[in-house]
Amino acid sequence: MIYLKLFWSFFQIGLFSVGGGYAAMPLIQHQVVELNNWLTMQEFVDIITISQMTPGPIAINSATFVGIQIAGLSGAIVATLGCVFPSCVIVLTLAWVYFRYRNLSVVQGVLGGLRPAVVAMIASAGLSILILCLWDSGNISLSLSSIDWIGALLFVCALFALRKWKLNPIYVMLGAGVLGLILYLLSGVRYAG
């Protein structure tokens, strides 16, 4: 039964995650954290972080990690297949339709209509991660004492480095990880992650 639930949950994610990995994060969060209660919000953020650091698409990496966490290696295989299957069918079908009807204005209109929805999904995922970065509980509080100031400092520094100097994101991630480790160890704050 768990294999069927894993397959169906990640089948839905694969089916509706138009726009790639970042656009899929709210869907993964809904299925894994809110609907099925397989992971807590903090575990979900950890899975997304690991998925971003490992090679491959975020949705597929997340499916693999969640599958392993829930049902071992066979769960990882089932969840990954559930995530990949709809994409393969859709891409093959769309490729055929696009090459056959690419000059029609209806096709161009559909593609133009999807762009704003994809941007909204990516913005939603980014905002969720930012909230968890600044408030460990995931609940926004107006109290200044509830803000994770080290996380806020790292966010501002990383954003500044990426925008101002156009640094390679890999170097920024590595630097933020090392700096975060040092700052959290020096501050004596026990990170709950």
Side-chain angles (χ1 to χ4, degrees):
M1 183 66 181
I2 190 67
Y3 298 115
L4 188 58
K5 280 184 88 170
L6 274 170
F7 183 85
W8 179 243
S9 293
F10 282 98
F11 179 87
Q12 291 175 35
I13 291 166
L15 186 63
F16 295 112
S17 60
V18 178
Y22 295 111
M25 285 197 297
L27 300 173
I28 298 169
Q29 177 185 344
H30 176 71
Q31 286 290 333
V32 172
V33 177
E34 297 163 10
L35 198 61
N36 292 304
N37 294 319
W38 286 329
L39 301 175
T40 65
M41 190 60 180
Q42 187 61 50
E43 290 171 327
F44 169 73
V45 170
D46 293 342
I47 292 279
I48 292 299
T49 303
I50 292 168
S51 297
Q52 290 176 338
M53 291 189 309
T54 55
I58 292 172
I60 294 172
N61 290 345
S62 297
T64 305
F65 290 130
V66 170
I68 282 178
Q69 190 111 359
I70 301 305
L73 182 61
S74 54
I77 293 169
V78 167
T80 304
L81 287 175
C83 190
V84 171
F85 183 72
S87 301
C88 291
V89 172
I90 289 171
V91 166
L92 290 173
T93 303
L94 286 177
W96 179 81
V97 168
Y98 181 75
F99 282 115
R100 183 156 174 122
Y101 303 107
R102 66 179 160 231
N103 295 328
L104 292 177
S105 62
V106 172
V107 172
Q108 295 302 318
V110 167
L111 293 174
L114 284 174
R115 282 186 203 108
V118 169
V119 169
M121 291 174 77
I122 292 170
S124 171
L127 194 57
S128 295
I129 290 174
L130 179 62
I131 288 170
L132 277 169
C133 170
L134 298 178
W135 293 277
D136 282 337
S137 66
N139 298 323
I140 297 174
S141 171
L142 297 179
S143 168
L144 291 178
S145 65
S146 66
I147 294 176
D148 179 1
W149 290 104
I150 295 173
L153 174 71
L154 290 172
F155 170 75
V156 170
C157 290
L159 184 64
F160 182 77
L162 287 168
R163 301 300 299 166
K164 174 82 172 159
W165 296 304
K166 309 283 190 238
L167 294 178
N168 186 331
I170 293 172
Y171 298 137
V172 174
M173 284 175 41
L174 288 172
V178 170
L179 187 59
L181 176 66
I182 293 168
L183 290 174
Y184 279 109
L185 287 175
L186 290 177
S187 71
V189 174
R190 184 185 175 279
Y191 182 64

